[in-house]
């Protein structure tokens, strides 16, 4: 009995349509805690900065490279995560990521030099963060269709709640046992990622394979006709041959016996199918969306990194400056949930809603340069936090929409998309720091981020026109539209009908003469 239960837990969930619930709610809870122990830890790592500078006698910039390398590895190795997920499945990849994250953090607790932490947290944990986060958000998008936006937005608030819980908790723990034991405790706590990965049961929607459980009547008649015709052709040759006909009605599309093998085939992946489908780069709509992700990443880091130094430079005390960051985190939670509720409405063009949010985020980043006093910065922090929540919580799940690439190619598209984000993730902080060093004003750091957001808005506005082929020449669009339609119409005609029609059109030889 225990073996059967284990086999049942390891088997993929087979549906005839996207469930929009079911085991997907368990996956959503798993994604919430994956956000807690990945991005939540990354955003809360600043509580260790002063301790690391004192312990290693290093500057703030050298300690900051720990997180910079971690974020770069997280995004740069996204294609590798996609390849492994396609080859071995999402569950083992996430469980492996949890082990790497925990091993890197535990090893960093015993580091004696700062470059040891570059390897432990930057490389090992960064690779584990990628293996844990990307497959989880991908499989969550497969479990939901109509509720995808709101479920993903609510589940992604895990990192915001982690900022509230971990920052004061780790600070209190450091005062009792020191930063090394605190980091060791965090590393052991991140082993929960293995449990989250174990709950990611694969999903198979058999309708996408063209084998629905109850096919249409015309499809049943066509399948029956083809089976009977094939039996008539091969009945004489197959007598006493000892070979079972493969044209049994069990193999007909839509027969219940054919559903399970089809589901197993889709769960394992089609033989010869590429592990990472680079054909998404040939789609102009996805290329524009990738450029959007490249530039939009510039605006994600500036508010959280520079809001406290900006407040201190304007004369605020440390407590009130820290309150600005807390207000931004609260607004980000409401922004993520609000964006999910809006994008969950039908019918609605989600790409255009995202475009409005990106434009508003660019304007909010510009307003930081004119803000004066506590309440001016507070208003900018709340507004920008809400806009960051709307964009950060939806830009990856939006890949599953038909206006971008669709759910079938989301796994490969997410790997390529996040890979290009690593470029701006590595170049963004030095660019903002260069502006600060030249002007000696922290408000200048928001200029590069706002400019990147405006460029991202232009790229996002071109996604849907390029997807629909509006940027192509009319003749090319017409040929592309007629090609598949004509090919499909030819495939729908039974073979016997084609032979009969061809036979009618051949010229017949006169009686008594042999054709040449």
């Amino acid at each position: 009995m225990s073996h059967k239960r284990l086999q049942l837990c390891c088997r993929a969930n087979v549906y005839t349509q996207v469930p929009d619930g079911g085991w997907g709610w368990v996956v959503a809870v798993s994604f919430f805690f994956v956000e807690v122990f990945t991005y939540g830890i990354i955003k809360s790592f600043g509580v260790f900065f002063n301790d690391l500078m004192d312990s290693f006698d290093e500057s703030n910039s050298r300690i900051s490279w720990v997180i910079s390398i971690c974020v770069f590895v997280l995004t740069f190795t996204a294609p590798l995560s996609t390849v492994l997920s396609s080859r071995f499945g999402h569950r083992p990849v996430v469980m492996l990521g949890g082990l790497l994250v925990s091993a890197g953090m535990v090893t960093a607790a015993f580091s004696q030099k700062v470059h040891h932490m570059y390897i432990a947290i930057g490389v090992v944990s960064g690779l584990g963060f990628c293996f844990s986060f990307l497959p989880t958000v991908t499989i969550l998008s497969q479990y939901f269709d109509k509720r995808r936006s709101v479920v993903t937005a609510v589940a992604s608030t895990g990192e915001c709640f982690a900022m509230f819980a971990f920052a004061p908790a780790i600070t209190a723990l450091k005062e009792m046992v020191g930063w090394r034991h605190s980091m060791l405790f965090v590393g052991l706590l991140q082993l929960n990622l293995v449990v989250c990965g174990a709950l990611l049961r694969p999903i198979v929607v058999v309708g996408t394979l063209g084998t629905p459980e109850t096919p249409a009547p015309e499809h049943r008649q066509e399948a029956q006709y083809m089976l009977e015709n094939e039996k008539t052709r091969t009945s004489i040759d197959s007598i006493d041959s000892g070979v079972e006909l493969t044209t049994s009605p069990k193999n007909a599309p839509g027969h219940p016996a054919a559903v399970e093998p089809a589901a197993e085939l889709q769960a394992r992946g089609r033989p010869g199918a590429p592990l990472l489908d680079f054909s998404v780069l040939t789609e102009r709509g996805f290329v524009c969306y990738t450029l959007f992700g490249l530039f939009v990443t510039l605006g994600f880091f500036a508010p959280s990194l520079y809001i406290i130094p900006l407040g201190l430079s304007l004369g605020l005390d440390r407590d009130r400056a820290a309150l600005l960051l807390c207000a931004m985190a609260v607004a980000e939670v409401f922004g993520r949930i609000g964006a999910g509720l809006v994008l969950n409405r039908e019918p609605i063009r989600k790409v255009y809603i995202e475009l409005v949010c990106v434009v508003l985020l660019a304007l909010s980043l510009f307003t930081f340069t004119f803000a004066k006093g506590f309440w001016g910065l507070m208003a900018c922090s709340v507004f920008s936090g809400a806009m960051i929540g709307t964009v950060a919580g939806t830009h990856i799940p939006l890949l599953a929409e038909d206006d971008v690439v669709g759910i079938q190619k989301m796994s490969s598209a997410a790997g390529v998309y996040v890979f290009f984000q690593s470029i701006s993730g590595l170049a963004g902080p030095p660019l903002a720091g260069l502006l600060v060093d030249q002007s000696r004003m922290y408000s200048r750091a928001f200029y590069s981020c706002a400019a990147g957001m405006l460029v991202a808005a232009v790229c996002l506005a071109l996604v849907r026109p390029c997807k629909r082929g509006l940027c192509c020449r009319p003749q090319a669009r017409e040929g592309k539209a007629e090609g598949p339609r004509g090919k499909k119409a030819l495939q729908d005609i039974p073979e016997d009908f084609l032979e009969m029609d061809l036979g009618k059109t051949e010229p017949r030889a006169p009686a008594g003469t042999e054709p040449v």
Side-chain angles (χ1 to χ4, degrees):
M1 178 64 74
S2 60
H3 177 71
K4 291 183 178 180
R5 290 181 179 178
L6 179 61
Q7 186 179 9
L8 181 62
C9 294
C10 297
R11 190 181 303 169
N13 285 330
V14 181
Y15 298 93
T16 57
Q17 60 183 359
V18 179
D20 260 332
W23 192 261
W25 297 117
V26 178
V27 177
V29 174
S30 299
F31 179 61
F32 177 86
F33 284 102
V34 167
E35 284 270 0
V36 168
F37 295 114
T38 54
Y39 281 102
I41 295 295
I42 292 176
K43 290 188 175 182
S44 303
F45 193 79
V47 299
F48 293 110
F49 268 33
N50 292 333
D51 302 285
L52 297 179
M53 287 189 294
D54 296 338
S55 178
F56 297 138
D57 193 20
E58 296 287 353
S59 63
N60 195 348
S61 60
R62 288 179 62 88
I63 299 298
S64 300
W65 274 104
V66 176
I67 295 300
S68 297
I69 295 174
C70 178
V71 174
F72 174 74
V73 173
L74 189 160
T75 53
F76 186 79
T77 56
L80 176 61
S81 175
T82 301
V83 169
L84 294 178
S85 299
S86 301
R87 178 63 179 83
F88 302 104
H90 297 83
R91 174 184 291 167
V93 174
V94 175
M95 297 176 69
L96 174 62
L99 293 175
L100 291 176
V101 169
S102 179
M105 192 66 68
V106 170
T107 304
F110 300 96
S111 300
Q112 300 300 323
K113 299 291 183 180
V114 67
H115 59 266
H116 296 163
M117 303 197 76
Y118 292 164
I119 299 175
I121 296 181
V123 178
V124 179
S125 291
L127 186 62
F129 285 142
C130 181
F131 287 175
S132 301
F133 172 77
L134 196 58
T136 310
V137 69
T138 300
I139 195 172
L140 178 63
S141 299
Q142 296 173 357
Y143 267 97
F144 291 91
D145 183 17
K146 297 180 180 179
R147 301 175 179 173
R148 181 185 301 140
S149 298
V150 64
V151 171
T152 306
V154 174
S156 66
T157 59
E159 64 180 87
C160 304
F161 286 102
M163 294 173 61
F164 290 109
F166 284 155
I170 296 175
T171 301
L173 187 62
K174 283 194 309 175
E175 297 177 355
M176 294 187 294
V177 298
W179 71 268
R180 291 187 181 273
H181 290 87
S182 300
M183 190 173 292
L184 178 63
F185 174 77
V186 171
L188 296 176
L189 194 63
Q190 287 176 316
L191 281 174
N192 287 292
L193 289 171
V194 179
V195 180
C196 296
L199 296 175
L200 301 181
R201 185 180 298 176
I203 178 175
V204 174
V205 181
V206 295
T208 60
L209 290 175
T211 57
E213 190 171 350
T214 55
E218 59 270 15
H219 292 169
R220 288 201 303 266
Q221 294 177 0
E222 181 180 352
Q224 185 67 24
Y225 167 79
M226 295 176 66
L227 289 176
E228 293 176 355
N229 184 42
E230 188 67 22
K231 283 182 179 181
T232 304
R233 290 181 178 180
T234 59
S235 58
I236 300 178
D237 297 335
S238 60
I239 293 178
D240 298 331
S241 62
V243 179
E244 182 181 358
L245 288 175
T246 59
T247 55
S248 171
K250 294 186 298 182
N251 298 324
H255 195 279
V259 173
E260 186 65 24
E264 294 178 358
L265 179 63
Q266 186 173 355
R268 292 193 306 266
R270 296 187 302 272
L275 297 178
L276 184 59
D277 188 7
F278 285 101
S279 65
V280 293
L281 291 174
T282 61
E283 300 182 12
R284 298 184 180 182
F286 176 72
V287 171
C288 292
Y289 198 82
T290 302
L291 293 176
F292 154 74
L294 178 67
F295 289 103
V296 81
T297 308
L298 294 175
F300 286 159
F301 69 89
S304 60
L305 289 181
Y306 291 102
I307 185 60
I308 293 181
L310 177 61
L312 295 176
S313 65
L314 294 178
L316 301 181
D317 56 32
R318 186 169 297 274
D319 294 335
R320 303 192 80 184
L323 187 61
L324 297 175
L325 184 60
C326 295
M328 183 179 296
V330 174
E332 185 174 344
V333 173
F334 287 98
R336 289 173 182 264
I337 298 177
L341 294 175
V342 172
L343 295 181
N344 195 53
R345 301 177 64 89
E346 295 289 348
I348 192 173
R349 288 297 175 190
K350 301 180 182 180
V351 173
Y352 293 150
I353 299 298
E354 186 87 350
L355 176 61
V356 174
C357 296
V358 172
V359 173
L360 293 178
L361 179 55
L363 295 178
S364 68
L365 292 174
F366 270 120
T367 57
F368 274 102
T369 61
F370 304 101
K372 302 295 182 182
F374 173 75
W375 292 110
L377 289 175
M378 176 63 73
C380 294
S381 299
V382 172
F383 185 63
S384 65
M387 292 300 103
I388 289 176
T390 59
V391 178
T394 57
H395 69 112
I396 292 181
L398 211 62
L399 290 168
E401 300 299 326
D402 293 334
D403 286 339
V404 187
V405 294
I407 190 63
Q408 298 296 331
K409 295 183 179 181
M410 183 190 176
S411 181
S412 297
V416 177
Y417 175 78
V418 177
F419 169 78
F420 281 99
Q421 280 188 300
S422 64
I423 301 175
S424 56
L426 186 65
L431 178 60
L434 180 63
L435 294 177
V436 173
D437 292 338
Q438 291 180 350
S439 62
R440 301 296 178 182
M441 298 177 63
Y442 285 100
S443 60
R444 297 298 182 265
F446 294 85
Y447 278 142
S448 62
C449 302
M453 281 291 172
L454 291 179
V455 177
V458 175
C459 297
L460 184 60
L462 296 175
V463 170
R464 180 167 165 77
C466 290
K467 181 69 175 180
R468 299 186 61 186
L470 298 181
C471 298
C472 304
R473 290 178 298 181
Q475 295 180 354
R477 290 204 310 269
E478 292 176 0
K480 184 177 180 181
E482 293 178 359
R485 188 185 306 121
K487 184 177 180 181
K488 183 177 184 303
L490 186 61
Q491 291 177 350
D492 291 340
I493 301 176
E495 184 178 356
D496 290 350
F497 292 165
L498 291 176
E499 293 178 356
M500 293 172 61
D501 292 340
L502 290 176
K504 291 179 180 180
T505 58
E506 292 180 356
R508 295 185 179 181
T513 61
E514 294 292 334
V516 181

